[in-house]
Amino acid sequence: TGSILGNIGLGLRIGELATSLADESDSNYLKGKVHFLHASMVTAWTKPLREAIPELVESYKYCLEAGDILWAAYSLENNLFYTFLKGDSLDLVCDKFAKNRSQMRKLDQPIAWECYDLWYQLAFNLMSEHPVNSLSGDFFSEAETIPGWQNSQDKTGLGYYELCKLIQSWYLGDLPAARAAAEGAKPYLDAMVGMFFVAVWNFHYSLVLLAEAAADPRRKGGNLRQVAANQRKLKSGRTTHRRISSTSTC
């Protein structure tokens, strides 16, 4: 709430207080949810991304013990997403996706496992010696999955889809597709408010804008202004989080 209202320091303090109170309770149901939200919306922004993963592991355990299968699935999938985003080698990332895929299926949460397979497909494609710019493959089918997300208006799934297209297109050098995906993600960003995925979109969108400006001087002025705006947003969040984290106590 604090971050949405523009008071990032308040949001951080509330998050730290929430985890302290949850840890004092006997409710694994409460601990699982709170630690998932704290890992995703506080730890991921205030510390190196790798430090959010142990907290997601704890959230997953608490959720399983409480029988909260949906949030266990959220914790497991975000563990894998962050493993990819923190820059581990793609061999290790794909191995981790493969080892946890059967467990994700056992949790029987279709939207969660579809998102899991989407990110798995992205990592697998980027590791390929001859990649094609498509997110359909051994693990994910655009034709089978995306219409269902569109019909159910699953903004989180569609946001992930556009973000994965943006990342893949950028690293495969397909600048027009990357720009289209960056624009395509905009209507879904509000479904990821406060989560690290917004920063990932912002970063790759800026890379696309810079590449366009370098290729076409006519776009330089507008693109650079947008890049500066993107960076101000990221810097504001990071600076405020670091300052509050180093000076406040709950």
Side-chain angles (χ1 to χ4, degrees), residues 202 206 223-234:
N202 198 320
S206 293
N223 280 23
L224 292 184
R225 284 191 294 273
Q226 184 60 57
V227 170
N230 292 349
Q231 296 307 301
R232 282 194 297 272
K233 291 178 183 178
L234 289 176

Side-chain angles (χ1 to χ4, degrees), residues 102-121:
S102 62
Q103 181 58 29
M104 178 59 76
R105 281 291 193 275
K106 289 178 182 177
L107 295 174
D108 196 24
Q109 301 298 317
I111 293 177
W113 87 49
E114 288 168 350
C115 292
Y116 183 99
D117 284 350
L118 167 64
W119 285 87
Y120 186 7
Q121 189 68 56

Side-chain angles (χ1 to χ4, degrees), residues 5 22 33 40 63 69 94 113 115 155 174 222 240 250:
L5 296 177
K33 280 185 166 61
S40 302
C63 290
I69 303 304
C94 288
W113 87 49
C115 292
K155 296 182 72 174
D174 189 341
T240 303
C250 292

Side-chain angles (χ1 to χ4, degrees), residues 57-156:
V57 172
E58 287 299 306
S59 170
Y60 174 71
K61 291 178 180 177
Y62 286 136
C63 290
L64 282 184
E65 291 171 2
D68 191 350
I69 303 304
L70 177 60
W71 283 68
Y74 290 159
S75 297
L76 181 58
E77 68 176 5
N78 276 269
N79 178 338
L80 274 294
F81 300 164
Y82 285 7
T83 298
F84 170 78
L85 292 171
K86 74 186 179 72
D88 282 6
S89 74
L90 290 173
D91 283 340
L92 292 176
V93 171
C94 288
D95 184 60
K96 189 172 180 180
F97 267 109
K99 288 180 177 178
N100 287 278
R101 194 170 185 236
S102 62
Q103 181 58 29
M104 178 59 76
R105 281 291 193 275
K106 289 178 182 177
L107 295 174
D108 196 24
Q109 301 298 317
I111 293 177
W113 87 49
E114 288 168 350
C115 292
Y116 183 99
D117 284 350
L118 167 64
W119 285 87
Y120 186 7
Q121 189 68 56
L122 170 63
F124 186 82
N125 288 355
L126 292 177
M127 190 176 65
S128 172
E129 293 183 2
H130 304 288
V132 295
N133 198 7
S134 169
L135 286 167
S136 290
D138 293 345
F139 312 110
F140 186 80
S141 170
E142 293 173 284
E144 293 178 4
T145 306
I146 302 307
W149 287 356
Q150 292 170 334
N151 290 337
S152 64
Q153 299 183 336
D154 181 359
K155 296 182 72 174
T156 301

